[in-house]
Amino acid sequence: MARAIDVPDLIARARQGQAAAVARLISLVEDDSPALPEVSAALAPHTGRAHIVGLTGSPGVGKSTSTSALVAELRRRGKRVAVLAIDPSSPFSGGALLGDRVRMSEHDTDPDVFIRSMASRGHLGGLAGAAPQALRVLDAAGCEVVLVETVGVGQSEVEVAGVADTTLVLLAPGMGDGIQAAKAGILEIGDIFVINKADRDGATTTRRELRTMVGMRAADDSWTPPIVLTVATKGEGAEEVVDEITNHGDHLRSSGELTKRRVARARREIEALALASVQRRLGEFGAGVQELAVQVEAGALDPFAAANQLLGASS
Ligand code: GDP
């Protein structure tokens, strides 16, 4: 039997910025705890203030290093910051592994920096269902900027944009990078492009290529995505990136785009949760599905009618 959870107490402590309470609440999200609806309802009035910034890009491009450099710059500006590293390819128990992956030792002892990793594979709602809940915890804890980074490989590169207000796309100099980006659909989702590893040859060429490609994309013309060159290992360019994040935040608010993006995010979250709920209930009707399948195979029932029966039975 799980230990009873004192949700109001946890939330009160998280709002005071107590790291242990924040960590515990995010664990509840990760574990798909039955207490989540209560947590979610209690958090709701304290959310909506954090600027959610997604970082995406191919493995090895420098996401972790850049995140650390951005945290340092944001702290210089006195911001309370959180980092949420999501690994969509790890099962829930992957937390410890992820802990090693997030190399943020320079920020470990700073009480105004929350660093948390979360696995989303196996979470019924997937990244779209799990991440917003964890983000709400960090938002309610008073984090002004939350950096969301996906680790590992997969679809998540584009998915992270769905949970962010502002999406940073990281690239590195090198042949074909621009073309790869176009393939991955990454050009469409970038609000700010960062060419990291600018200490290597080809950074200006990559910038030129990227500028052409970004110029061609069918986008809202009130925001032209800036392209910033950085050397994350030295913190170079972090100041400019943070300036651009702030500019984009101002743009989102003044154009009404922030609300639009957040409504779209809420919608995806609702859909993910509803689908998860249906899936869970279908699972509970396991034997019933088998029975229907036998009837369909025998020609006694058509699959549409069977599905309808199932949905009727599970609602
Ligand atoms: P991630 O997989 O995208 O999170 O990439 P990492 O942050 O782990 O970086 C991958 C490797 O690139 C590491 O060895 C970093 O030290 C290195 N790296 C990151 N940023 C830079 C940079 O600006 N210049 C150079 N030369 N190396 C970098």
Side-chain angles (χ1 to χ4, degrees):
M1 192 50 204
R3 189 155 49 99
I5 302 159
D6 185 346
V7 170
D9 174 64
L10 263 183
I11 292 191
R13 289 195 289 118
R15 291 194 61 218
Q16 288 162 12
Q18 290 187 25
V22 172
R24 176 95 174 94
L25 285 168
I26 293 179
S27 295
L28 295 180
V29 175
E30 220 180 16
D31 297 342
D32 236 343
S33 160
L36 275 186
E38 187 189 350
V39 169
S40 193
L43 285 175
H46 311 296
T47 57
R49 283 182 284 267
H51 187 170
I52 315 286
V53 179
L55 273 91
T56 185
S58 309
V61 76
K63 289 187 296 295
S64 292
T65 317
S66 298
T67 300
S68 193
L70 292 177
V71 168
E73 177 58 27
L74 287 161
R75 289 299 298 130
R76 252 194 296 281
R77 299 183 189 201
K79 303 277 186 200
R80 180 182 272 189
V81 193
V83 176
L84 183 67
I86 304 177
D87 186 348
S89 59
S90 277
F92 284 165
S93 56
L97 254 177
L98 273 165
D100 298 339
R101 181 67 182 66
V102 187
R103 294 180 295 264
M104 300 270 163
S105 45
E106 61 172 311
H107 305 296
D108 275 355
T109 52
D110 186 337
D112 285 315
V113 180
F114 293 86
I115 297 165
R116 191 46 218 236
S117 45
M118 190 171 89
S120 71
R121 194 188 82 187
H123 193 284
L124 271 177
L127 196 151
Q133 300 179 53
L135 291 170
R136 244 179 254 124
V137 173
L138 296 165
D139 186 352
C143 298
E144 296 161 270
V145 180
V146 183
L147 301 171
V148 187
E149 180 200 349
T150 51
V151 301
V153 278
Q155 301 295 317
S156 52
E157 284 189 9
V158 174
E159 231 184 325
V160 76
V163 300
D165 299 320
T166 297
T167 301
L168 261 63
V169 171
L170 269 71
L171 299 162
M175 251 178 42
D177 250 337
I179 294 146
Q180 276 172 20
K183 256 195 212 151
I186 246 174
L187 283 181
E188 283 74 26
I189 59 165
D191 298 307
I192 299 167
F193 289 91
V194 174
I195 301 173
N196 187 41
K197 307 197 184 183
D199 51 335
R200 295 199 175 161
D201 288 344
T204 47
T205 310
T206 303
R207 172 158 60 183
R208 199 177 333 112
E209 284 177 6
L210 193 61
R211 196 167 275 150
T212 310
M213 297 179 87
V214 169
M216 288 189 310
R217 80 175 192 183
D220 101 78
D221 46 15
S222 60
W223 175 259
T224 306
I227 302 171
V228 184
L229 300 191
T230 64
V231 182
T233 37
K234 294 185 188 151
E236 287 174 25
E239 202 179 329
E240 193 183 342
V241 175
V242 172
D243 284 345
E244 292 296 359
I245 290 172
T246 308
N247 289 342
H248 189 249
D250 292 344
H251 161 74
L252 288 175
R253 270 184 295 275
S254 64
S255 62
E257 178 69 17
L258 185 65
T259 306
K260 245 165 82 182
R261 287 190 179 194
R262 289 184 171 181
V263 168
R265 187 199 310 164
R267 183 184 169 137
R268 278 189 295 273
E269 187 185 5
I270 296 167
E271 286 171 352
L273 293 176
L275 276 175
S277 168
V278 169
Q279 259 176 317
R280 196 178 294 124
R281 280 192 252 158
L282 288 185
E284 288 162 9
F285 281 83
V289 183
Q290 180 65 17
E291 175 62 28
L292 291 170
V294 170
Q295 289 184 44
V296 168
E297 194 279 332
L301 192 67
D302 74 87
F304 290 91
N308 278 337
Q309 274 194 33
L310 196 62
L311 287 173
S314 67
S315 60

